[in-house]
């Protein structure tokens, strides 16, 4: 493998990455720490105490909280000062998302405003549109929403039926019905997607004040009761020419680029949820006594807390690594700011999908264990564990379902490979020759060097992913794009590999710190478990893409590549758990 020079999306799969070149949460600047503190104080001091009232659908309060978020500069982290923002880097943007998500309902409202309404105007708006809308959205004076989905077109967003009819004076009339719109009950400015002349998918900035926009009834949801979700009915809404966003027929560019950033931020929100739940679990486990002792002393509970910590550690590592990559890419770009942002988000769209899937699934796992650690108290409303559990479920559904995001991951990798932007095909061919040769070196991760074994294991994971990718391409050729089951397994290999590498890079970067041993325990536990998951996934994949002698040869290659000795994770998990219980909070932040 070669070492990365310029950061490229997906390149980590075929290149070695150094811990010096990767951003980790431990490398936050003073400015990052300040925005973290501001957000944390806002969430714990103002949002969390308001949750009951938000759950009763007090949208005046939601508006007031959005205004406060605006006053504190939290809505404007991506926006230039010229438009009322405090433009910080993407790491800062994730820091805010992560901390806002302590209240998932307000997090959803905040996300619809800051990500789904402000960002499209920032990235695709004209100067006039930015001047007209951004300052008031950034202060929270106006509430924003994003209306893409319809009852018949969710995942298949481009199948929208909403229509925009061009008028003689160049303006448009919009008619249609949008579904499940966050902030739908009270939004003032809505990014609406509709087809011009029933054909050309296009984005518009629509004000409720234009007339013809009505909100349907609030949905009765499983969770997020403190966030407004309604249909939006558009009846002949007059939209001036100046409110066309981007170009006619280019609405997909707006929709998908916004989602790229939204997915990464959603991953960050999930990380915040994991960290808060680990703290709650640890504090409860310490206090709760059964059989004459604290439940935190039982191996079963220590295993859970240790595992929740290790998985969250890797998730947090991959999240901030990705934000760092985007910041690096933007810094190296000669394009104007908003174009550089667009290009960088497109470049790291694979990693954004990984962040979304990994974030939402680790969160569901952590919140399920949080309920379990709380026992009966986890199932009743006296404790927030049950609310968190319900609130989180939708993360696997919106911003592109996890199935759609999983399909996108290998899909984008393959597209880049075919275009020659990513040297996956030659790397896969080299690998196949290498593992078939009798003198092929086998990777044994049983070394005693701290994290050396894990770094080798990550190299092995990359090769396994390449083996799968190469084999699947050989078997199906261009038809691979229609073979969803192998694609989903390929996505899982990529997700596990990126997470494992991010954890190792982070632990290595922390090697001289006072808590280096805890970093090591978290990274080693994660990598050891990832190796087992990767082996299972790879075996299923290989069986799906070959049979007979070819399958036997591929399985032999897999055994050679993935000769990873499982680590003794019981002790490491116990140490992580005990330290978490003692601290009463997630260990690493
Ligand atoms: C609380 C909440 C808030 C929301 N907020 C907004 C918002 O603010 N703005 C907005 O525009 N939308 C919003 N949505 C809508 C959300 O984005 C959609 O629900 C989501 O995109 C999924 O679409 P769908 O519900 O039509 O499911 P479907 O697309 O019908 O999917 C159903 C199942 O089929 C699978 N599936 C679909 N297509 C494929 C395929 N090609 N291959 C494999 N599997 C497939 C899916 O993964 C899923 O498991 C929100 C939804 C909720 C619940």
């Amino acid at each position: 493998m070669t070492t990365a020079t310029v950061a490229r999306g997906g390149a980590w799969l075929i290149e070695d990455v150094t811990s010096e070149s990767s951003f980790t949460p431990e490398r936050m600047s003073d400015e990052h720490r300040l925005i973290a503190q501001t957000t944390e104080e806002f969430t714990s001091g103002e949002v969390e105490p308001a949750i009951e009232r938000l759950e009763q659908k007090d949208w005046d309060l939601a508006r007031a909280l959005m205004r406060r978020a605006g006053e504190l500069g939290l809505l404007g982290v991506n926006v230039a000062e010229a438009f009322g923002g405090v433009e910080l880097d993407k790491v800062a943007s994730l820091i805010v998302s992560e901390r806002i998500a302590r209240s998932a309902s307000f997090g959803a409202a905040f996300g619809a405003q800051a990500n789904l309404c402000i960002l499209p105007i920032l990235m695709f708006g004209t100067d006039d549109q930015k001047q007209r809308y951004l300052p008031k959205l950034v202060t929270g004076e106006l509430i924003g929403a994003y209306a893409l989905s319809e009852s018949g077109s969710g995942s298949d967003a481009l199948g929208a039926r909403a229509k925009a009819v061009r008028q003689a004076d160049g303006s448009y009339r919009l008619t249609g019905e949008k579904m499940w719109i966050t902030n739908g009950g009270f939004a003032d400015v809505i990014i609406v997607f509709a087809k011009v002349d029933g054909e050309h998918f296009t984005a518009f900035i629509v004000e409720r004040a234009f007339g013809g926009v009505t909100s349907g009834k609030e949905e009765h949801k499983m969770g997020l009761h403190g966030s407004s979700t309604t249909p939006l009915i558009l009846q002949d809404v007059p939209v001036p020419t100046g409110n066309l966003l981007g170009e006619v027929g280019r609405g997909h560019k707006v929709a998908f680029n916004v989602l790229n950033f939204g997915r990464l931020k959603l991953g960050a929100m999930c990380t915040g949820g994991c960290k808060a739940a680990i703290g709650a679990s640890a504090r409860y486990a310490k206090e709760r006594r059964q059989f004459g002792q604290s439940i935190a002393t039982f191996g079963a509970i220590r295993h859970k807390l240790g595992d929740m910590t290790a998985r969250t550690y890797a998730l947090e590592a991959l999240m901030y690594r990705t934000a760092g990559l985007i910041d690096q890419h933007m810094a190296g770009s000669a394009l104007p700011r908003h174009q550089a942002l667009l290009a960088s988000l497109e470049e790291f769209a694979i990693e954004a999908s990984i962040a979304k899937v990994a974030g939402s699934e680790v969160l569901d796992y952590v919140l399920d264990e949080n309920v379990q650690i709380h026992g009966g108290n986890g199932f009743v409303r006296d404790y927030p564990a049950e609310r968190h559990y319900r609130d989180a479920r939708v993360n696997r559904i919106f911003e592109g379902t996890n199935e759609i995001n999983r399909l996108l991951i290998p899909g984008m990798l393959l597209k880049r490979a075919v275009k020659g932007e990513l040297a996956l095909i030659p790397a896969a061919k080299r690998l196949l020759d290498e593992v078939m040769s009798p003198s092929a070196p086998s990777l044994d991760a049983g070394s005693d060097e701290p994290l050396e074994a894990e770094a080798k294991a990550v190299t092995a994971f990359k090769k396994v992913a390449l083996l799968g990718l190469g084999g699947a391409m050989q078997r199906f050729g261009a038809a691979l794009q229609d073979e969803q089951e192998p694609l989903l397994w390929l996505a899982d290999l990529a997700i596990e590999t990126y997470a494992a590498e991010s954890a190792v890079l982070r632990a290595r970067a922390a090697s001289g710190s006072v808590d280096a041993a805890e970093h090591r325990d978290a990274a080693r536990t994660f990598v050891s478990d990832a190796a087992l998951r990767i082996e299972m996934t790879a075996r299923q994949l290989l069986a799906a893409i070959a049979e007979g002698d070819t399958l036997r040869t591929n399985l032999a290659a897999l055994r050679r590549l993935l000769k990873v000795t499982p680590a003794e994770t019981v002790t490491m998990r116990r140490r992580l758990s005990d330290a978490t219980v003692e601290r009463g909070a997630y260990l690493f932040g």
Side-chain angles (χ1 to χ4, degrees):
M1 293 209 177
T2 54
T3 302
T5 42
V6 182
R8 298 292 317 264
W12 45 269
L13 202 51
I14 47 171
E15 290 173 348
D16 288 328
V17 182
T18 62
S19 68
E20 295 75 40
S21 66
S22 293
F23 187 84
T24 69
E26 288 67 38
R27 292 188 166 135
M28 281 184 196
S29 65
D30 288 345
E31 192 176 53
H32 291 144
R33 289 180 203 286
L34 194 63
I35 192 89
Q37 191 187 344
T38 305
T39 318
E40 232 156 62
E41 285 171 5
F42 169 61
T43 309
S44 58
E46 301 183 49
V47 182
E48 284 182 322
I51 285 177
E52 281 303 323
R53 282 176 61 199
L54 286 177
E55 294 248 318
Q56 300 304 316
K57 316 223 177 293
D58 181 344
W59 302 146
D60 289 340
L61 177 61
R63 266 188 182 278
L65 286 170
M66 202 71 84
R67 281 296 276 261
R68 274 295 290 151
E71 272 169 34
L72 295 168
L74 305 180
L75 288 167
V77 283
N78 296 304
V79 180
E81 282 180 26
F83 304 113
V86 290
E87 193 174 11
L88 303 174
D89 59 16
K90 299 305 152 252
V91 167
S93 191
L94 289 207
I95 288 172
V96 171
S97 297
E98 193 199 307
R99 282 152 182 85
I100 282 286
R102 293 269 185 76
S103 157
S105 281
F106 185 70
F110 182 92
Q113 173 99 357
N115 308 339
L116 300 181
C117 187
I118 289 179
L119 274 180
I121 298 177
L122 183 74
M123 292 196 290
F124 294 93
T126 60
D127 255 8
D128 169 61
Q129 289 169 342
K130 290 180 193 173
Q131 290 292 1
R132 275 193 286 144
Y133 292 109
L134 289 179
K136 287 185 180 168
L137 285 166
V138 158
T139 54
E141 196 178 324
L142 289 177
I143 299 292
Y146 177 87
L148 175 65
S149 307
E150 298 180 8
S151 61
S153 59
S155 301
D156 180 18
L158 302 185
R161 298 181 61 177
K163 272 195 194 136
V165 179
R166 218 187 304 242
Q167 306 296 298
D169 63 357
S171 69
Y172 296 86
R173 292 258 163 181
L174 265 57
T175 301
E177 187 166 335
K178 296 290 175 178
M179 277 293 282
W180 307 295
I181 305 308
T182 303
N183 293 346
F186 58 104
D188 309 297
V189 179
I190 306 137
I191 308 298
V192 176
F193 293 84
K195 285 187 174 160
V196 172
D197 304 329
E199 207 179 322
H200 309 288
F201 190 73
T202 305
F204 297 88
I205 306 173
V206 174
E207 292 182 31
R208 193 182 286 267
F210 289 164
V213 179
T214 39
S215 308
K217 280 195 189 135
E218 285 289 341
E219 299 290 351
H220 293 288
K221 303 183 299 248
M222 175 192 290
L224 293 187
H225 294 165
S227 148
S228 168
T229 313
T230 70
L232 272 184
I233 299 113
L234 310 162
Q235 277 171 325
D236 231 9
V237 181
V239 180
T241 324
N243 280 39
L244 173 76
L245 183 60
E247 294 168 42
V248 172
R250 307 278 291 165
H252 62 285
K253 276 272 165 197
V254 180
F256 297 148
N257 279 294
V258 166
L259 288 178
N260 282 340
F261 202 15
R263 286 168 183 159
L264 180 61
K265 288 192 176 191
L266 185 70
M269 287 189 170
C270 293
T271 312
C274 290
K275 287 161 76 167
I278 289 170
S281 277
R283 293 189 294 277
Y284 185 86
K286 184 177 182 180
E287 293 306 317
R288 177 72 178 169
R289 295 181 74 78
Q290 288 293 283
F291 302 95
Q293 61 194 94
S294 154
I295 63 167
T297 61
F298 296 130
I301 302 295
R302 291 163 95 189
H303 178 93
K304 289 184 195 305
L305 276 170
D307 208 41
M308 289 152 81
T309 302
R311 288 202 197 192
T312 301
Y313 178 84
L315 175 66
E316 193 183 21
L318 81 82
M319 213 61 67
Y320 284 98
R321 175 183 176 193
T322 307
L325 286 169
I326 295 173
D327 282 331
Q328 265 178 39
H329 196 266
M330 278 188 75
S333 170
L335 294 169
R337 294 294 290 165
H338 73 279
Q339 282 177 26
L341 175 61
L342 254 177
S344 303
L345 292 177
E346 260 183 350
E347 184 65 44
F348 296 101
I350 295 167
E351 289 75 8
S353 284
I354 290 179
K356 195 273 174 178
V357 174
S360 55
E361 293 183 4
V362 173
L363 180 62
D364 275 359
Y365 161 76
V366 165
L367 294 180
D368 186 66
E369 292 293 36
N370 186 37
V371 168
Q372 196 67 13
I373 290 172
H374 280 75
N377 283 327
F379 199 69
V380 297
R381 297 221 165 162
D382 300 355
Y383 284 78
E386 70 85 28
R387 174 164 47 78
H388 293 318
Y389 181 81
R390 287 184 290 101
D391 283 350
R393 185 60 182 82
V394 73
N395 291 316
R396 281 160 55 198
I397 297 171
F398 57 22
E399 304 264 354
T401 65
N402 283 17
E403 290 76 20
I404 295 291
N405 273 287
R406 273 196 165 84
L407 293 171
L408 284 172
I409 295 164
M412 288 187 278
L413 281 168
L414 289 167
K415 222 181 250 169
R416 287 178 193 193
V418 170
K419 278 194 195 162
E421 292 169 2
L422 202 57
L424 278 178
I425 297 170
K429 279 199 179 123
R430 264 198 316 277
L431 175 76
L432 288 176
D433 293 344
E434 186 188 315
V435 289
M436 300 310 166
S437 101
S439 60
S442 66
L443 272 165
D444 185 351
S447 152
D448 286 337
E449 282 291 308
L451 294 168
E452 189 57 38
E454 285 67 30
K456 280 190 179 178
V458 167
T459 306
F461 297 170
K462 293 183 185 187
K463 293 191 173 187
V464 171
L466 277 180
L467 178 71
L469 211 58
M473 283 162 76
Q474 241 173 25
R475 165 77 172 77
F476 297 111
L480 177 56
Q481 62 181 11
D482 301 320
E483 294 294 328
Q484 293 201 340
E485 297 88 335
L487 288 172
L488 297 174
W489 282 317
L490 285 169
D492 285 343
L493 294 180
I495 294 167
E496 291 286 0
T497 302
Y498 190 58
E501 181 170 63
S502 304
V504 171
L505 292 171
R506 181 179 182 186
R508 285 195 141 175
S511 65
S513 67
V514 283
D515 53 357
E518 287 156 353
H519 281 269
R520 247 192 338 265
D521 280 347
R524 292 192 65 204
T525 301
F526 186 84
V527 172
S528 183
D529 286 3
L532 301 174
R533 292 190 292 264
I534 283 178
E535 184 175 4
M536 194 170 83
T537 304
R539 290 173 73 85
Q540 286 171 299
L541 172 64
L542 294 181
I545 60 179
E547 52 196 355
D549 282 349
T550 315
L551 174 59
R552 273 189 288 281
T553 313
N554 282 345
L555 289 172
L558 176 66
R559 275 194 298 277
R560 284 177 151 215
L561 288 175
L562 203 60
K563 229 174 135 198
V564 178
T565 312
E568 195 279 274
T569 54
V570 173
T571 310
M572 291 193 283
R573 279 199 184 81
R574 285 183 177 180
R575 279 198 297 255
L576 288 170
S577 172
D578 294 351
T580 306
V581 169
E582 195 184 324
R583 190 170 180 209
Y586 174 68
L587 282 177
F588 304 100

